Amino acid sequence: MPIPKAFMNDSSQRDRVPDDSEPDRSTPPNPPPTNASEIPANVPQNPSTAPQNASSVPGRLTSSALRILRTLVIGSVVALSLLAFPSVLPWMIAGWLVVFSVLAWKERPAWVPLAICLTVLIIRLVPRTPAMLGLGIVLLVIIIMRFRNRQNPAALTRWAIPFIIVAWAAWGVVVWEHQSIIICNRPHFASFDDSDTIVCVGDSLTDGMRPDLGYPDALDKMLPNPVINEGFSGIATRQGLDLMPRVLKHNPKVVVIELGGHDFLKGHSRASTKANLVQMIDLSRESGAEVILMEIPRGFMFDPFASLEREIAYEKDVQLIADSWLREIILMSPIAPPGMWMSPSSRLSDDGIHSNPRGSHVIAQRVADAIAMLK
C-alpha cells in the first residue's frame, strides 16, 4: 500500500536534526583538564592559563632581597648621619644634598632625602645660628614643593635646577659659618711670647687619672710656655667660676676651659651652664687673657645641651676645639670600636673616657694647634 506523500515529508522532517539545535544536556560535557600533564602534546596551551614559569619564584625572591637591602642601606646611612660629629656636620648634609641632586636631575620627586636630612638636624639639635636656620627653611620649602608636585613631571623638571642651586648655596653659607665658629676672628692679644702663661681649667679630663697628669702636663712638655693645671675631678661650671680668682692670679695669656660635662650629669640646666661659662670667658678677657673653649659631647646621637659650646663660640667669638677631641679618646678605648679590637698599647684611654698618656698627648696637640691660631 503506498504511503501518503504528506506523511513521508513529516517523517523525514522528524528524523532530520537541525545544525543549530542545542546539545543534549542529559550528558555533561567533558571537564577541561586541570593538570598540564593531561593536555595532549599536540594541543597548544593558552599562555594566560598556563602554569607560571618556575623562574618567577627566584625573581620574586630577588626583588624582596633588594628591597630589604635598600632598607638596610638607608637605615645605616641615617644612623651614620645621627652619629656624625659636629666637626663633620656640613659634610653629612652634603651627602644628602648629593642624593637629592641626582634624583632631582633624573626628574624624581627627591623630597625624601631632604626630609631625612632635616629630621637628622632637628634630632641632633644643631646650633640655632642664622646659616643653619636658613638652611632649615630652604630644605623645608623644597620638601613641600617637591612633595606637592610629585605627580607633575613638568613642574619637577622646571624647578629641579633652581632648587639644586638654592640648596647648595644655603649649604655653602653653612660651611662658611661653621668654620667661622671654630676660629676666633676678634683681635687677639698684642703679643704672645715663650714666657706667657697658659692655664687649663677643667674637671677630671683636665686633671688626669693618675699616674697620668692630664693633657696640661703633655702641653707643658710640648710648648716653651709655662702651663698651669687647674683641673679638679668632678667639678661643674659653678665650681669652675669660683676658681677664676685663683686662675687669674697666674696672670695667664691663654685660658683653656674644659667644663660642662658634669653639669649635665648632675642635672644642672643648660641655661645655668651657659651663664657660668660666659662669665668665665668675660672674666678672662677682662684680665687680658684669650680663651680657648673645648666642646664637650654629651651624647653620640642626641645632644641634650643642643650644641652649647658652639653657640657660645658663635656669640662670644672664642676659639673652639671641636668635640672630636673627646670622641677620639672614647673610640680609641676598650669600650668602643675600633679601640676594643686594638692592642692596649695603641689605645688612647684605659677606662673609656679619661685619656692615658698617649691620649693626653693627642689632646695636648689639639690645644697647641688652637693656641697657634691665636698668635
Side-chain angles (χ1 to χ4, degrees), residues 16-40:
R16 186 169 61 248
V17 179
D19 295 337
D20 58 350
S21 63
E22 294 182 1
D24 186 4
R25 298 182 181 273
S26 61
T27 305
N30 293 331
T34 58
N35 195 322
S37 61
E38 301 177 8
I39 303 176

Side-chain angles (χ1 to χ4, degrees), residues 18-152:
D19 295 337
D20 58 350
S21 63
E22 294 182 1
D24 186 4
R25 298 182 181 273
S26 61
T27 305
N30 293 331
T34 58
N35 195 322
S37 61
E38 301 177 8
I39 303 176
N42 59 346
V43 178
Q45 299 184 27
N46 188 343
S48 61
T49 59
Q52 293 184 352
N53 195 310
S55 63
S56 62
V57 176
R60 289 196 300 269
L61 293 177
T62 302
S63 178
S64 300
L66 289 176
R67 286 196 298 268
I68 295 174
L69 179 61
R70 182 177 61 182
T71 302
L72 291 175
V73 169
I74 294 175
S76 300
V77 174
V78 171
L80 290 174
S81 300
L82 288 169
L83 287 169
F85 298 170
S87 56
V88 299
L89 190 63
W91 315 116
M92 181 275 292
I93 298 172
W96 289 109
L97 289 184
V98 168
V99 177
F100 160 73
S101 301
V102 172
L103 294 178
W105 186 262
K106 293 182 177 181
E107 301 179 1
R108 302 283 295 277
W111 61 272
V112 173
L114 298 185
I116 294 175
C117 181
L118 184 59
T119 303
V120 169
L121 295 179
I122 294 173
I123 294 175
R124 292 294 305 271
L125 295 177
V126 295
R128 296 179 291 272
T129 55
M132 193 61 70
L133 292 175
L135 175 66
I137 294 173
V138 168
L139 294 182
L140 182 60
V141 170
I142 297 177
I143 290 169
I144 294 174
M145 295 295 294
R146 302 292 292 186
F147 180 78
R148 291 179 59 183
N149 295 319
R150 64 189 185 281
Q151 303 295 339
N152 188 349

Side-chain angles (χ1 to χ4, degrees), residues 12 28 67 77 110 114 120 139 178 187 197 209 216 270 305 322-323 351:
S12 62
R67 286 196 298 268
V77 174
L114 298 185
V120 169
L139 294 182
H178 185 267
T197 302
M209 296 294 289
R270 181 184 189 275
F305 272 28
D323 71 341
D351 64 0

